[in-house]
Amino acid sequence: MTAPQAPLLDIRGLRKRFGDTEVLHGVDLAVAPGELVFIIGPSGSGKSTLLRCCNRLEEPSGGQILFEGRDILAPSTDLNAMRRRIGMVFQSFNLYPHLNARDNVALALLHVLKQPREQAHARALQALAQVGLAERATAMPGELSGGQQQRVAIARALALEPAIVLFDEPTSALDPELVGSVLAVLRSLRAAGMTMMVVSHEMGFA
């Protein structure tokens, strides 16, 4: 009999206040390796705040967040190293309009990981292939549909080879006919065993 697997992400008693308003009231959540967790609830209920606390884009007011067994709220935490392991995909694509798809994906590889240009470009093309956009590598963001831009943003997160990817309403900025292409990417990542936390209103898909 094998021992139960330790959570990849272990949230304990998480609290977050904005002024006098407490948005997160002692949240407990454990995410196992390879697990897909959907976070659902009405607008303003703290879903995105919870996600942003998980890589310290928001600083929690209390509680503990353990990632790969380490407390990411500790003063000694290397935020850049931690965020390479905890990928984030936002509802707004946040692509650089003057860079093509490949260069948007390669940017962090070049400037954060300091990879040689040839290596970074090769990894960027691999990540674009993962989201079905290898043939649009040289397209500028303005030449891509909203669904394609969001898939480039997902490829950018995947290029750093994270242990978990956090998706904050990844389809909310898309026209309904473009949602399916992004959900197909999530489905393929799920099949490949990627650990994911998704804030979404796509109840049918969830």
Side-chain angles (χ1 to χ4, degrees), residues 101 125 128-139 144 148 151:
L125 291 174
L128 286 169
Q130 275 184 273
V131 301
L133 283 178
E135 78 286 352
R136 303 306 309 273
T138 59
L144 300 173
Q148 289 172 329
R151 285 152 62 194

Side-chain angles (χ1 to χ4, degrees), residues 43-61:
S43 295
S45 60
K47 304 184 303 296
S48 295
T49 299
L50 171 62
L51 220 58
R52 291 169 65 86
C53 284
C54 289
N55 66 358
R56 288 182 57 184
L57 288 175
E58 293 284 358
E59 289 295 334
S61 306

Side-chain angles (χ1 to χ4, degrees), residues 39-45 47 169 199-201 203:
I39 301 172
I40 58 175
S43 295
S45 60
K47 304 184 303 296
E169 307 257 17
V199 168
S200 179
H201 292 303
M203 291 297 298

Side-chain angles (χ1 to χ4, degrees), residues 57-124:
L57 288 175
E58 293 284 358
E59 289 295 334
S61 306
Q64 192 175 36
I65 302 175
L66 301 176
F67 174 66
E68 297 182 320
R70 291 187 288 276
D71 181 1
I72 70 166
L73 303 182
S76 59
T77 297
D78 181 334
L79 288 181
N80 286 332
M82 178 265 291
R83 287 174 180 153
R84 289 198 295 272
R85 300 286 293 155
I86 304 177
M88 184 92 178
V89 177
F90 301 91
Q91 52 184 300
S92 53
F93 323 123
N94 295 339
L95 300 181
Y96 288 98
H98 62 289
L99 298 178
N100 65 28
R102 181 202 64 190
D103 290 347
N104 263 287
V105 175
L107 200 61
L109 301 173
L110 290 166
H111 297 290
V112 178
L113 298 189
K114 308 296 185 186
Q115 289 185 357
R117 184 167 298 276
E118 187 174 323
Q119 181 183 345
H121 285 175
R123 176 62 191 132

